[in-house]
Amino acid sequence: TDGERLALVDGNNNRVLIWNKLPTANTPPDVVVGQPNFDQNDPGTGPDQMNWPVSATFMPLPRTSPASL
């Protein structure tokens, strides 16, 4: 997490699940990375697929100050 978003590596399903806001209950993820949808879990070899991912990290988002607009 970066304090705002949550990423969960789901290695058994060859994907990373992302919530754009920290979930407070049984909330489905907003984004799936590594699979074309939430239902598939095939391992992949292409640049848009994953095969047993083990970790994820968020890079800080650039912040724009009102003075720079």
Side-chain angles (χ1 to χ4, degrees):
T1 182
D2 63 358
E4 296 177 17
R5 300 169 293 169
L6 172 67
L8 174 73
V9 176
D10 183 4
N12 289 332
N13 288 308
N14 304 298
R15 64 188 181 182
V16 175
L17 303 172
I18 300 173
W19 288 261
N20 291 325
K21 291 179 7 179
L22 296 177
T24 57
N26 191 16
T27 307
D30 298 301
V31 178
V32 61
V33 179
Q35 296 295 327
N37 56 49
F38 290 98
D39 299 321
Q40 292 182 300
N41 65 355
D42 298 323
T45 57
D48 61 339
Q49 299 170 318
M50 294 185 179
N51 192 0
W52 288 92
V54 294
S55 66
T57 188
F58 284 114
M59 299 299 292
L61 294 173
R63 304 286 182 184
T64 304
S65 68
S68 66
L69 295 178

